[in-house]
Structures are given as C-alpha cells and as structure tokens.
Amino acid sequence: MANLSPDFVEILRALPHYKEIQLPRAQARLFPSPTLLDEETLQEDWKTYVHPDLKKHFQSARQVVEEDLKKMETLESGAKLSIPSSHLDAWMNLLNQTRLAIVEVHRLTEEDLEAPFEEDDPSSTLFRLHFYGYLQQALIEAWNSQS
Amino acid sequence: MSTLLDEEIKDKDIVLLDSVWNVIVHNDPVNLMSYVTMVFQRIFGYSSEKARKHMLEVHHAGRSIVWSGTREKAEMYVQQLHQFLLLATLESVDL
C-alpha cells in the first residue's frame, strides 16, 4: 500500500492497540462456545484446552501486524506499507478481531453497518470499521490470487 | 431368540451410528462473505463453488452444516473455524 495519507497511517497504526478487543463483550465473541446446548463438560474442556491456543493465535497475529507497521516507510508522496504474503493471515485475523470487537462493544446492528457513514471523518468508529473491512477484502483478494 | 454375539453386534452398531457429529457455522453481520468462502475452502478443501454454496446458506438461512463425521474431527474443525473468527458449533446427530 502506497501514498498513504497521515489519516490512514493513523488508522493503520491504531490497529494493534484497540482496547475494545479486551472488553468482556468482545472477548465473549472472540472466544465463543463450541455448542449451543447446555453441555457443561464440552464448554469447560473448550475453555481449558482450546481458549489458551486461540489466545496465543490472536496475540501472534497482533505482534506480526505491529512489526509490519513499524516498518512503514514515510515518503514524500505518502507512507508506504508492505505486507509480505506470509503475513496475510495475521493481518486478516487482526482486522477481523478488531472489526468484531468494535461491533460488539459499540453494539452495532446490521442496520448500523449498512447505513451511510461520514466519509470525511476518519476518526469515526464507522469509518474505521469500513476501512478495516475494505483492507481485509483487499487482502482476501491478494490471498485468492496467490492460491 | 438372540445370541450374545447378536447383542454385541447390535451394541456396536448403536455406538457407530451414535458417533456422527455436525459442524455448524452460524451467521454474523461482520464476517465478509468473501472471507467466509475463503475459510471454507482452506479448512475443508472445498471447491470455490461448494464453499460459496455453504456461505450463502449461512447468509440466508442463518446457519449451515458444513461437515459431518467423528466427534474428534468435528472438534478440530470447530477450533480451526474459531481461529478464523467464525461462529461455529458442533452437535451430535440424532439418529
């Protein structure tokens, strides 16, 4: 990604640091139950054996993205961000974590997500949510083109 | 009149028939349709057409049974789906 304006640089740099992800509503979504039924043993086993690995997986994604962002180059024409193809999964994962957390914590509905948003206000939650979605889509297309 | 062998075979059949589990993916308003399709291709090795079919079922019907088989494998798939941040559950098939 090249010619990034300061606003977009700021939105990208914010990605690994969203506090929303740590809030209970977001955590409940990032670590869902494996069953809709009242299966206590399965749920407890899942928390004990699966959640720690999931947590490591999510943290690893954040670390990869953070490192890539540190290498962002500032040029006259705007910042340039390079995402190695081996890092696509980490980026898609953190973008998804962040989008899910934003929606959960701000209790956004499907209507909210489809409503028009202020395209001139990069600081707005909806702007960032959609920006992260567009970026995730671009990465999915990059993945599809390499596979 | 059943023999002990007949009873043993019947019990084994019941255990085998009882061991089928479904992996179900549930709709959520955040995950991109293209992302869900990609995840199905990557986890289950589905063609793009089959992956898209299941994605559309999730989108329109609210859920889709994406795989059926042993409990152990169903748990593994649900874990992988959770890693990709999809809402997924497993449930035994009532036979």
Side-chain angles (χ1 to χ4, degrees):
Chain A
M1 295 172 69
N3 305 324
L4 294 167
S5 69
D7 283 335
F8 286 129
V9 168
E10 197 213 320
I11 293 174
L12 285 168
R13 288 205 196 280
L15 188 54
H17 307 294
Y18 265 87
K19 292 192 174 75
E20 279 94 330
I21 288 180
Q22 300 311 322
L23 296 175
R25 276 186 71 95
Q27 289 285 296
R29 174 56 186 87
L30 266 53
F31 296 92
S33 172
T35 176
L36 294 179
L37 305 171
D38 192 18
E39 293 187 52
E40 216 173 290
T41 307
L42 174 57
Q43 287 172 348
E44 287 308 311
D45 284 350
W46 206 257
K47 280 182 198 165
T48 304
Y49 299 111
V50 174
H51 281 183
D53 283 342
L54 270 183
K55 191 174 177 182
K56 277 185 208 163
H57 185 76
F58 296 155
Q59 281 173 344
S60 165
R62 183 163 50 253
Q63 281 161 2
V64 166
V65 169
E66 217 167 351
E67 286 307 310
D68 282 348
L69 286 169
K70 282 179 189 168
K71 295 173 189 164
M72 204 161 26
E73 296 173 68
T74 309
L75 306 167
E76 246 185 71
S77 53
K80 181 182 171 189
L81 170 67
S82 297
I83 301 175
S85 57
S86 58
H87 292 186
L88 287 179
D89 275 356
W91 274 86
M92 286 193 280
N93 194 278
L94 184 60
L95 284 163
N96 224 15
Q97 288 182 50
T98 306
R99 292 173 62 243
L100 287 165
I102 289 174
V103 168
E104 284 299 324
V105 169
H106 295 275
R107 298 175 195 247
L108 299 176
T109 64
E110 214 157 337
E111 269 179 15
D112 293 326
L113 297 178
E114 289 168 8
F117 61 96
E118 188 52 67
E119 292 185 24
D120 292 333
D121 184 9
S123 66
S124 88
T125 300
L126 272 182
F127 183 100
R128 291 185 178 221
L129 186 64
H130 286 291
F131 175 80
Y132 293 143
Y134 294 140
L135 179 53
Q136 190 176 358
Q137 180 61 40
L139 297 178
I140 292 165
E141 286 166 18
W143 185 87
N144 282 334
S145 69
Q146 74 176 17
S147 59
Chain B
M1 187 168 71
S2 65
T3 63
L4 279 174
L5 185 58
D6 288 337
E7 291 294 331
E8 194 184 332
I9 290 171
K10 224 162 86 170
D11 285 344
K12 276 188 181 166
D13 284 344
I14 289 169
V15 168
L16 284 171
L17 286 171
D18 208 25
S19 308
V20 180
W21 288 71
N22 286 335
V23 173
I24 300 157
V25 171
H26 304 266
N27 191 31
D28 77 74
V30 179
N31 274 309
L32 302 172
M33 291 162 77
S34 55
Y35 181 76
V36 174
T37 304
M38 178 196 74
V39 170
F40 290 164
Q41 287 178 269
R42 291 178 64 169
I43 291 179
F44 302 106
Y46 291 162
S47 66
S48 59
E49 292 78 19
K50 186 169 180 179
R52 186 174 157 76
K53 173 186 152 280
H54 280 290
M55 176 278 292
L56 287 172
E57 192 171 31
V58 172
H59 183 67
H60 292 301
R63 55 177 261 162
S64 177
I65 297 173
V66 294
W67 185 88
S68 297
T70 63
R71 176 171 176 153
E72 195 180 342
K73 209 158 181 186
E75 287 183 0
M76 181 196 76
Y77 282 141
V78 170
Q79 182 175 355
Q80 288 178 3
L81 289 163
H82 284 188
Q83 280 184 341
F84 279 99
L85 294 155
L86 266 61
L87 280 173
T89 55
L90 62 151
E91 66 183 30
S92 67
V93 177
D94 289 329
L95 294 170

